[in-house]
């Protein structure tokens, strides 16, 4: 067996939470008095970026004096809405994870806010599949460092990272971990070495 463990990205890899997240973004904008509305496609386009980069690069229209309030309101609304509505789990994720855990140790690393992974796991009752997870919101570390943290504290020997964006690939490369492109997700990557077209293709690793 080539790999002993699989580390997953979350948005665009395990589920699509963009419809719920865009509601949180728009409600936060309107609550701080900014009459701008973004789309779920915009959320999918910046999925995979660090949250501070998302706020800096995609919400430049938010006045600096309102930025902290916007971030705080968004963070709270994201937790509330994800807990209430969740996201759209990709087809065959749960049954595939059930089979994968027989041969691999499973983990999650995402650039999301603190609490987002927990909300995902709770909403679909998937906590038993994953041995550990890490995110940007915990300590502000970039994804590459969080991948290394998972590798090191769980003593992984031959891990692979599964993600859908170029930022996922770059992070896996920096972490020294093989990468599998989830081509059904949000991002496009030219000529990835390993690619899956649907989630259950992971059973062919």
């Amino acid at each position: 067996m080539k790999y002993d463990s699989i580390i997953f990205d979350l948005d665009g890899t395990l589920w699509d939470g963009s419809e719920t997240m865009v509601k949180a973004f728009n409600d936060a904008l309107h609550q701080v008095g900014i009459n701008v509305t973004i789309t779920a496609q915009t959320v999918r386009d910046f999925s995979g970026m660090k949250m501070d980069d998302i706020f800096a690069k995609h919400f430049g229209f938010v006045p600096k004096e309102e930025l902290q309030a916007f971030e705080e309101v968004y963070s709270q609304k994201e937790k509330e809405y994800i807990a209430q509505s969740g996201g759209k789990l990709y087809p065959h994720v749960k049954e595939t994870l059930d089979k994968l855990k027989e041969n691999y140790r499973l983990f999650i690393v995402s650039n999301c806010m603190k609490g987002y992974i927990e909300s995902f796991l709770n909403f679909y009752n998937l906590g038993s599949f994953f041995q550990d997870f890490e995110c940007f919101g915990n300590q502000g570390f970039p994804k590459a460092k969080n991948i290394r943290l998972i590798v090191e504290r769980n003593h992984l020997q031959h891990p692979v990272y599964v993600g859908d964006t170029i930022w996922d690939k770059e992070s896996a490369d920096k972490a020294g971990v093989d990468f599998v492109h989830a081509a059904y997700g949000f991002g496009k990557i030219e000529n990835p070495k390993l690619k899956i077209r649907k989630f259950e293709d992971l059973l062919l690793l």
Side-chain angles (χ1 to χ4, degrees), residues 70-190:
F70 167 60
E71 292 181 17
E72 290 173 356
V73 174
Y74 170 74
S75 178
Q76 182 58 39
K77 288 188 176 296
E78 181 194 78
K79 289 186 180 77
E80 292 176 7
Y81 295 166
I82 290 293
Q84 293 168 7
S85 305
K88 183 179 178 182
L89 200 67
Y90 285 113
H92 307 297
V93 165
K94 196 164 188 176
E95 53 266 50
T96 301
L97 290 173
D98 194 43
K99 293 176 182 177
L100 288 172
K101 74 173 184 178
E102 296 175 4
N103 296 310
Y104 304 94
R105 300 173 66 193
L106 306 179
F107 306 87
I108 298 174
V109 171
S110 171
N111 270 339
C112 60
M113 288 183 158
K114 186 174 184 178
Y116 186 80
I117 296 175
E118 292 92 327
S119 294
F120 161 74
L121 296 175
N122 291 336
F123 192 84
Y124 281 108
N125 194 27
L126 297 175
S128 63
F129 293 112
F130 299 97
Q131 297 186 18
D132 195 3
F133 55 83
E134 194 55 81
C135 73
F136 172 78
N138 283 345
Q139 300 180 73
F141 293 152
K143 183 171 280 187
K145 184 164 184 175
N146 282 329
I147 292 173
R148 286 308 311 169
L149 280 176
I150 289 292
V151 170
E152 291 165 6
R153 73 188 182 209
N154 292 283
H155 310 290
L156 307 184
Q157 300 301 309
H158 302 289
V160 62
Y161 187 77
V162 181
D164 63 303
T165 71
I166 189 63
W167 302 297
D168 292 330
K169 182 183 185 304
E170 290 171 351
S171 296
D173 290 345
K174 287 179 184 176
V177 171
D178 284 359
F179 176 74
V180 173
H181 180 219
Y184 55 82
F186 302 153
K188 288 181 168 50
I189 297 176
E190 293 296 324

Side-chain angles (χ1 to χ4, degrees), residues 39-52:
T39 67
Q41 184 57 52
T42 299
V43 174
R44 289 189 284 270
D45 288 343
F46 60 57
S47 177
M49 296 176 66
K50 293 187 297 180
M51 290 305 299
D52 56 351

Side-chain angles (χ1 to χ4, degrees), residues 2-27:
K2 185 175 182 182
Y3 300 111
D4 65 349
S5 49
I6 304 174
I7 309 171
F8 293 94
D9 170 51
L10 180 43
D11 288 300
T13 300
L14 292 169
W15 81 348
D16 179 354
S18 59
E19 294 291 346
T20 304
M21 291 171 69
V22 76
K23 186 175 185 296
F25 275 120
N26 286 329
D27 283 2

